[in-house]
Amino acid sequence: MKKDMNIRRRTLALLMGVGIATLAFVVAVALFASTRPSVAAPHQSGTPLSGEDASLLDGYRHVEVASVSDAMEKVIGKKLYMSHHMRPIFNSKFAGFAVTVLLKKEANHDPHALDGMLAAIDQGTANSVYVMVVEDGSDIAGMGGLMGTAMSARNFSGAVIDGGVRDVAYLQKIGFPVFALGIVPSTSVGHYRFAGANIPVTCDGVAVSAGDIIAADADGVVAVPRASAGEVLKVAQEMDFKEHSMYATIEKLKSIVEAVRQFGRL
């Protein structure tokens, strides 16, 4: 009997020791985890814009691109509109923040040569405009239906391609707006290499940096430097208001000369 009691005491002591050790381990793990730096969640395409950015984009989505172009000449003193060669695949109007991509002309057999071009889409957020420069690529399709579908799924505002575009029927079907230098059936695969994303580029003669405002409508495409976007928008809105007010005045007076004299705008 005494021997059994001793065995029970030793067993109980062992179990208590294991329990205390386990509890200590759990507490130590919890304390260690609490002191580690938190890992930020990936930036999702649905992340809401800040109040300032949302207001800015709303303004550019309603103002006419022609007024924005005029306002930039007045505010910045530069012409930052793209040429008449940059045309839409269907009538559309959009504005968003530039995600820039550059492709360099280089024949290759590298299956990963264009990986960065695709990653830039997957890393882009809602309200982005994909601004791609295809070096000497007016007859090369920089994008098509697959890339357009991915951009649409991530709620991009649109795309501006200094190069060609293909799969136009499908892009029209899903309603994803694209401006490009032309419509061609070719591919960039095997002929180009990704050279960088979110870097300064020159798109159809216009300097564009990541985060700049890209605005497009039936009159063409403009790139507004982010630092000047607020001031440019204010002037463009004033110009829009004057011009729209002038239509009725011209019709009433049957005189454009008198309307220009009254409003000081042409």
Side-chain angles (χ1 to χ4, degrees):
M1 176 69 74
K2 186 175 181 181
K3 183 177 179 181
D4 290 343
M5 289 292 292
N6 289 335
I7 291 173
R8 289 174 183 172
R9 289 192 188 99
R10 287 197 296 270
T11 301
L12 180 60
L14 178 62
L15 290 173
M16 289 180 63
V18 170
I20 293 171
T22 301
L23 178 61
F25 175 77
V26 171
V27 171
V29 169
L31 288 173
F32 174 73
S34 68
T35 60
R36 292 182 65 191
S38 61
V39 178
H43 189 50
Q44 298 298 317
S45 62
T47 301
L49 291 172
S50 68
E52 179 185 356
D53 285 349
S55 177
L56 197 63
L57 274 192
D58 184 65
Y60 276 101
R61 284 169 177 164
H62 287 88
V63 76
E64 293 181 10
V65 165
S67 294
V68 176
S69 178
D70 291 354
M72 281 195 291
E73 284 199 52
K74 186 174 181 180
V75 174
I76 305 174
K78 294 181 180 179
K79 297 178 181 179
L80 295 176
Y81 57 85
M82 296 181 194
S83 77
H84 64 281
H85 296 294
M86 186 64 73
R87 300 308 301 159
I89 60 173
F90 60 83
N91 287 335
S92 55
K93 179 177 178 61
F94 62 81
F97 298 105
V99 170
T100 63
V101 172
L102 176 62
L103 299 187
K104 287 287 188 180
K105 196 171 187 178
E106 179 190 312
N108 65 81
H109 297 287
D110 181 0
H112 302 293
L114 297 174
D115 284 359
M117 171 184 77
L118 306 180
I121 300 174
D122 284 0
Q123 293 165 9
T125 61
N127 303 297
S128 295
V129 174
Y130 194 77
V131 179
M132 170 183 276
V133 176
V134 183
E135 185 181 63
D136 191 23
S138 58
D139 289 320
I140 296 292
M143 68 167 285
L146 298 178
M147 291 171 64
T149 298
M151 293 179 208
S152 180
R154 295 189 66 81
N155 294 317
F156 277 46
S157 297
V160 176
I161 311 297
D162 188 346
V165 60
R166 68 180 189 176
D167 302 330
V168 170
Y170 187 78
L171 292 169
Q172 291 173 339
K173 178 181 177 181
I174 65 174
F176 186 73
V178 179
F179 278 66
L181 298 183
I183 298 171
V184 290
S186 59
T187 180
S188 58
V189 177
H191 306 289
Y192 281 82
R193 182 176 294 278
F194 170 73
N198 290 320
I199 59 174
V201 297
T202 300
C203 184
D204 193 28
V206 175
V208 181
S209 295
D212 285 351
I213 297 284
I214 304 298
D217 67 14
D219 288 331
V221 182
V222 292
V224 186
R226 185 64 179 83
S228 304
E231 187 178 0
V232 169
L233 176 61
K234 182 179 178 181
V235 174
Q237 288 171 329
E238 292 170 354
M239 289 181 167
D240 253 15
F241 179 77
K242 285 185 178 181
E243 181 164 327
H244 294 167
S245 300
M246 288 172 70
Y247 293 141
T249 300
I250 292 171
E251 289 176 349
K252 179 181 178 181
L253 301 178
K254 296 180 175 56
S255 171
I256 188 172
V257 172
E258 181 60 24
V260 171
R261 187 191 68 78
Q262 287 187 25
F263 289 90
R265 163 96 168 105
L266 177 60

